Amino acid sequence: MKGLLRSMGVTLSAFMRKPVTREFPETHRELPERDRAFPLLLWDFEQTEPFCTGCHACERACPVECMTVLMKDNPNHKSAGGDSTRRKIIDKFWIDYGRCMRCNICVEVCNFDAIAMNNTWSGHEMSVYDRADLVQDLPQLLSESRGGELKAWRAP
Amino acid sequence: MTTTTPGQEFETQDLMINMGPQHPATHGVFRMVLQVDGEIVRDLIPHIGYMHRGAEKLAETMDFRQGIGYMDRTEYLAQFNAELSYVMAVEKLAGLEVPERAQWIRMILCELNRLSSHFMFTGAFGTDIGVFGTAFVYSFRERETILDLFEEITGDRLMYAYFRPGGLAWEVTDNFERRVGEVLKSARQGIKDMDGLLTENEIFRARTQNIGIISAADAIDWGCTGPVLRASGVPLDLRKTEPYLRYAEVDFDVPVGQVGDTYDRWLVRIEEMRQSVRIIEQCMAKLQPGPIMPERMPRMLRTPPGEVYLRTEAPRGEFGVYMVSKGGNRPHRLKVRSSCFANLQALKDMAIGSYVADAVAILGSLDIVLCEVDR
Ligand code: SF4
Ligand code: SF4
């Protein structure tokens, strides 16, 4: 009997504590800045083009081979009469979020700081009816950064 | 109305019943076929393999950094411990020296992971016994605070991929010390809650005491490790017997049980949680600023040819990684020694002769992770 009463004491004390739950779809927890959802490409506002040069380093390092990278000559490069310092630039980029295992390796291998993990809620609330919709193309990958919502975190 | 004359024998037949693979009491996709005589289990045939993904084989196709992600997914309740075995095996092969700070942080995270894993056990075991929901939600409240800390440091709540051969992926957060203090405070409260809720509860004791007894000799024969072995009275803890990281420099006790029943396995885990809190406190006191990676790490790590077996004490027992390298940047052969697989083998011995409901309690007390059993 003593043990039972002690158990009930625990339940009673828990009853008095502040709730720790949250009404999820209405209210969101604040995400830590290191939060890793899915990789996104970053937009270079100074030269108004993506940082990514299409160097394939991330594609080769990805353990699940979910990235596809195609590179092209930058039409905006100085030699072509533009004002960009990038000789090569990304042409097409796909990441299959359905396969990505969010391991952060692509971010670590990129020499141009062109890719970062999404640390906003948009990276977590991604439900689609068709798996093919999880394959993100270049405009989709850039939109978050281009719109200024993404504050990418870099490992110190 | 039928009457039976005394002495008249009825011919009864044992019944085969199937439990799982989709069953709330089987902790994942585990199937057991029970041969029952009324309520008594006469035989038990376990079926595993529903979760087999070939994680070891997959990791053989990956370089040492890519393989870390697969270790997380092998043991999804003690990810840091699984990563630790893997990266330490690579370090041993490559002869890397891990900086002191990285070692202390690894220890803190592994012990916190042990806490979160045991909180999962206390909750799930409570549910197996019939404390529906209460123990589970109380455990999860504390477990979530630990996962919050992991998320702040590594960026992910479950698949951390934070340890690297040589050290850590990146530095911990600036407020690490304060946050660990907060987490420990809530963990202490959680341990007290779980202890108060169930340990002395008469119903709980009636359901667990003298159920699923396994003797020390049998437990050793079956290859049990971790809390299952210690509950039978064998004080084998790899952190004590062959200290890795800096476990030799901290002070902690290895709790052992006396009877080797389900209740002892509960007590051992509760006490282990207290010891983990003690270890983390000592680690925090010894944590000094410093590098977290050796100087001059190659961009792509290559190891000389060789063969290692490295084992560490994960929350469920010995988590070993056997790795053969033929030189190059990936393991030639990788084998994970799963603690749950060995512990699960003892289930048959423990369950025969008990009631069907107790078989569930026994399975729960083994605290298996099916992903690790099947790999
Ligand atoms: S994201 Fe970085 S690593 Fe990947 S292709 Fe672009 S520049 Fe190269
Ligand atoms: S996070 Fe990992 S799995 Fe995902 S795209 Fe990057 S490298 Fe590939």
Side-chain angles (χ1 to χ4, degrees):
Chain A
M1 197 61 207
K2 223 178 93 232
L4 279 182
L5 287 177
R6 197 174 154 204
S7 310
M8 287 184 182
V10 173
T11 353
L12 198 69
S13 80
F15 185 65
M16 307 289 191
R17 274 176 232 160
K18 271 211 309 258
V20 288
T21 44
R22 203 176 268 100
E23 305 226 346
F24 168 60
E26 284 85 37
T27 54
H28 285 85
R29 183 172 67 96
E30 200 181 319
L31 290 173
E33 61 170 351
R34 299 183 177 192
D35 189 82
R36 302 203 306 258
F38 286 108
L40 286 176
L41 293 179
L42 299 181
W43 184 256
D44 183 354
F45 285 100
E46 277 169 29
Q47 308 197 15
T48 52
E49 60 186 18
F51 278 109
C52 176
T53 57
C55 70
H56 295 274
C58 54
E59 189 189 25
R60 275 197 298 268
C62 177
V64 289
E65 294 168 4
C66 66
M67 305 174 123
T68 312
V69 180
L70 291 175
M71 161 210 278
K72 67 175 179 194
D73 288 331
N74 190 354
N76 205 17
H77 183 246
K78 286 204 177 89
S79 62
D83 47 13
S84 167
T85 49
R86 285 183 192 90
R87 192 175 292 276
K88 300 281 183 187
I89 196 143
I90 186 73
D91 182 17
K92 297 200 173 77
F93 204 121
W94 290 278
I95 302 181
D96 184 352
Y97 281 0
R99 288 177 74 180
C100 171
M101 65 179 201
R102 296 161 28 257
C103 63
N104 204 48
I105 287 177
C106 48
V107 181
E108 281 167 43
V109 297
C110 181
N111 288 320
F112 302 93
D113 286 351
I115 190 165
M117 296 308 255
N118 189 352
N119 54 6
T120 64
W121 272 102
S122 68
H124 290 279
E125 297 178 327
M126 300 194 75
S127 45
V128 289
Y129 283 106
D130 187 353
R131 281 189 197 180
D133 294 343
L134 285 172
V135 181
Q136 305 277 306
D137 60 12
L138 187 60
Q140 283 170 312
L141 289 169
L142 280 168
S143 71
E144 196 91 2
S145 166
R146 222 175 157 170
E149 290 115 55
L150 187 74
K151 302 270 175 294
W153 179 76
R154 294 255 154 248
Chain B
M1 200 178 131
T2 51
T3 51
T4 47
T5 17
Q8 184 184 337
E9 296 289 324
F10 284 105
E11 198 176 308
T12 57
Q13 238 182 354
D14 286 357
L15 186 69
M16 302 289 274
I17 59 168
N18 180 51
M19 239 170 131
Q22 308 293 343
H23 190 281
T26 56
H27 293 243
V29 274
F30 172 65
R31 172 169 165 236
M32 43 187 183
V33 178
L34 304 173
Q35 187 183 341
V36 290
D37 173 9
E39 270 283 289
I40 312 278
V41 178
R42 292 277 177 238
D43 198 9
L44 185 152
I45 305 152
H47 290 268
I48 58 169
Y50 291 94
M51 284 279 244
H52 181 63
R53 298 142 297 157
E56 295 158 332
K57 215 69 203 165
L58 272 171
E60 281 168 24
T61 65
M62 319 238 151
D63 69 42
F64 293 121
R65 183 171 47 181
Q66 293 172 334
I68 296 166
Y70 281 87
M71 289 301 117
D72 285 332
R73 284 153 182 82
T74 299
E75 165 61 300
Y76 61 83
L77 289 179
Q79 303 89 336
F80 279 130
N81 293 278
E83 284 176 28
L84 182 72
S85 289
Y86 181 83
V87 296
M88 276 172 64
V90 178
E91 281 154 11
K92 201 166 157 189
L93 264 179
L96 285 173
E97 197 64 51
V98 184
E100 188 175 335
R101 181 177 169 82
Q103 295 196 16
W104 286 116
I105 294 178
R106 279 181 182 184
M107 251 172 91
I108 294 168
L109 293 177
C110 282
E111 289 307 317
L112 280 170
N113 212 165
R114 191 181 311 274
L115 278 173
S116 81
S117 166
H118 282 356
F119 272 127
M120 179 80 200
F121 162 77
T122 54
F125 187 53
T127 311
D128 289 337
I129 294 294
V131 195
F132 285 109
T134 318
F136 201 76
V137 288
Y138 290 1
S139 294
F140 262 60
R141 185 182 51 206
E142 280 14 291
R143 183 169 179 264
E144 287 296 302
T145 59
I146 301 175
L147 295 195
D148 279 345
L149 173 65
F150 289 165
E151 189 186 18
E152 280 163 34
I153 295 167
T154 68
D156 207 299
R157 293 181 82 79
L158 280 179
M159 303 304 161
Y160 310 124
Y162 180 59
F163 293 171
R164 295 284 186 274
L168 305 171
W170 46 75
E171 196 36 273
V172 291
T173 46
D174 296 336
N175 59 1
F176 182 63
E177 266 175 54
R178 181 174 60 78
R179 288 287 291 124
V180 171
E182 284 170 15
V183 165
L184 286 189
K185 190 162 159 264
S186 93
R188 263 189 232 105
Q189 178 67 41
I191 299 168
K192 223 171 95 199
D193 279 358
M194 294 321 293
D195 196 25
L197 192 66
L198 293 176
T199 304
E200 276 170 29
N201 189 315
E202 282 83 3
I203 304 172
F204 179 76
R205 287 172 81 145
R207 284 293 315 274
T208 52
Q209 273 179 332
N210 295 321
I211 304 282
I213 297 177
I214 186 157
S215 69
D218 281 348
I220 292 171
D221 284 352
W222 281 116
C224 296
T225 45
V228 177
L229 179 65
R230 290 195 285 274
S232 295
V234 185
L236 180 86
D237 189 324
L238 296 174
R239 292 172 295 171
K240 271 271 194 254
T241 51
E242 39 188 82
Y244 49 95
L245 293 179
R246 302 256 157 180
Y247 277 108
E249 295 171 35
V250 293
D251 184 31
F252 64 99
D253 303 327
V254 179
V256 290
Q258 270 118 36
V259 192
D261 59 357
T262 315
Y263 187 63
D264 271 358
R265 292 194 270 280
W266 164 272
L267 288 182
V268 164
R269 290 205 176 88
I270 291 281
E271 187 52 37
E272 256 179 36
M273 285 158 82
R274 295 206 184 94
Q275 298 301 329
S276 287
V277 172
R278 243 178 97 193
I279 296 174
I280 298 165
E281 279 165 349
Q282 294 173 47
C283 293
M284 289 310 289
K286 295 192 177 171
L287 192 62
Q288 298 293 335
I292 50 162
M293 269 296 216
E295 280 172 41
R296 282 197 293 154
M297 275 290 286
R299 241 186 120 76
M300 178 64 83
L301 183 68
R302 282 165 206 282
T303 62
E307 187 179 329
V308 292
Y309 177 67
L310 201 134
R311 52 188 189 173
T312 59
E313 184 73 29
R316 284 167 195 76
E318 173 185 333
F319 190 95
V321 168
Y322 171 69
M323 199 184 275
V324 181
S325 166
K326 288 200 166 176
N329 61 359
R330 60 191 65 191
H332 173 69
R333 176 76 180 101
L334 182 78
K335 166 87 178 79
V336 171
R337 191 270 180 200
S338 151
S339 45
C340 302
F341 179 78
N343 290 350
L344 191 58
Q345 305 310 311
L347 174 68
K348 190 170 171 171
D349 252 19
M350 294 178 190
I352 288 181
S354 64
Y355 291 116
V356 176
D358 293 340
V360 172
I362 295 166
L363 182 65
S365 76
L366 294 178
D367 190 20
I368 48 167
V369 166
L370 255 298
C371 263
E372 198 202 331
V373 176
D374 297 341
R375 299 186 295 281

